[in-house]
Amino acid sequence: MTVFLELYKNNIKFYFRGFSAPFWTFLFPAIMLVVLMSAFGGFGDSGFLGVAELEIVDLDQSDLSKQYVDLNRKALQTVDTLKTNITFITNGQQRTPGAVRLTIPEDLSASVKDPSRHKSFLVSYDIPPKLATKILISVLSAVFNHIQLELVDTPKPFHLVLDGKSSSQLSLTKELSYGQFLTPGLIGMILFSISLFGFCVPLVQMRETKILQRIKTLPLSQEQYIAAFIVSTVSVLVIYTMAFIVGVNFIYQLNIPLLVLVWWRLLVLILVALGFFMSFGVAIAGNVKSASTMTGISNLLYFPLIFGGNIIIPGQFFPEFVSSIMRFFPLTPLVESFRNVLFHQATLVTEVYTLSLCLIWISISLIVTKFTFVLHYGKT
């Protein structure tokens, strides 16, 4: 136990000796937080707009209705903070929960010729509406008023009817502010960066400098030494992660509930995440000969997953196949589980996909490590 504790202290000293590991683990997420919150969030953030779904039912199929749709499309393209996916559906098809449906009435020309034959444009949506929905409805209303004034000669031949209905599924897509979206993503970034820059790279450096070779002179097995290396890294990381969440919650007022059960679930998820990241780190570093090669591999993995994995940029802004691919690697599901636990009061039972996926990857990583990990190269 004495030798184990000594290794524990030495590994922590070795971790903070260089610049790369502390920077990517501690400084870079903090810098990203300040920069991104300054640009997209900040104090008193009212909400991240994200993506809105607009379903259009065109019962008229006339030049006027098509012109109206084109005006809506062009107007929505000018809203930089909102991405709107427009789909055309047939009448009678059930509205997708969370989507806004615009129904264009038939025989619009009759209302233009005879104002007494008013036609109603129906906008259906869930209540309470999300911020993205409110913006979308505002754009639809503005375009509708433009039609009344510019496209027809008869004063106000149409009506715009807003039909909000409560949805039991709305709670599953609870809207988050950008700060609430970003913070769990930065937690995932911290955990992932430690597995690469704070774990894989130092592990290869110790192999290069023959430190791992000296294990044979210690009364510890290879597994015990790696365990000491992992425990020392995990302990530092858990403390920093929890302090990071508390600090961000205090500064940006994210309304993270101060409930023991919530933080306990979060701790379990963090430990599962670290179990995956550490085992994955040992697996990919097990047979790499130089730290420079390991750094290149780390960068190749890190940046695509951080920017494309629903971490700091919502996955809806990427093609569907990108989001589907990202969900097979545990980083994206873990970050989504962090969000669910912190802001949606989810339980660990509801996050069974994430937990199961992590266990599968941990098992695969341990098997790979068993057959590929080497302590040193060359003669002893």
Side-chain angles (χ1 to χ4, degrees), residues 269-313:
L269 282 174
I270 289 175
L271 292 176
V272 171
L274 287 172
F276 158 67
F277 287 127
M278 295 298 142
S279 60
F280 178 74
V282 175
I284 63 176
N287 205 27
V288 178
K289 294 185 178 181
S290 68
S292 59
T293 301
M294 190 64 248
T295 301
I297 295 173
S298 298
N299 287 324
L300 190 63
L301 290 170
Y302 183 76
F303 288 102
L305 287 167
I306 291 300
F307 288 99
N310 202 30
I311 309 301
I312 60 177
I313 302 174

Side-chain angles (χ1 to χ4, degrees), residues 10-79:
N10 289 337
N11 286 333
I12 292 180
K13 292 179 181 178
F14 187 86
Y15 178 79
F16 287 100
R17 185 180 302 170
F19 172 77
S20 177
F23 174 79
W24 289 108
T25 305
F26 305 120
L27 293 180
F28 185 67
I31 294 171
M32 291 291 287
L33 173 71
V34 174
V35 171
L36 291 172
M37 287 298 289
S38 298
F40 305 111
F43 299 89
D45 180 27
S46 60
F48 182 69
L49 300 186
V51 178
E53 301 291 336
L54 175 60
E55 300 175 345
I56 297 178
V57 181
D58 188 355
L59 300 178
D60 192 48
Q61 295 294 327
S62 66
D63 291 339
L64 182 58
S65 67
K66 292 176 182 177
Q67 191 172 5
Y68 172 56
V69 171
D70 288 338
L71 282 173
N72 276 301
R73 193 191 307 273
K74 292 176 181 178
L76 289 168
Q77 289 174 349
T78 64
V79 184

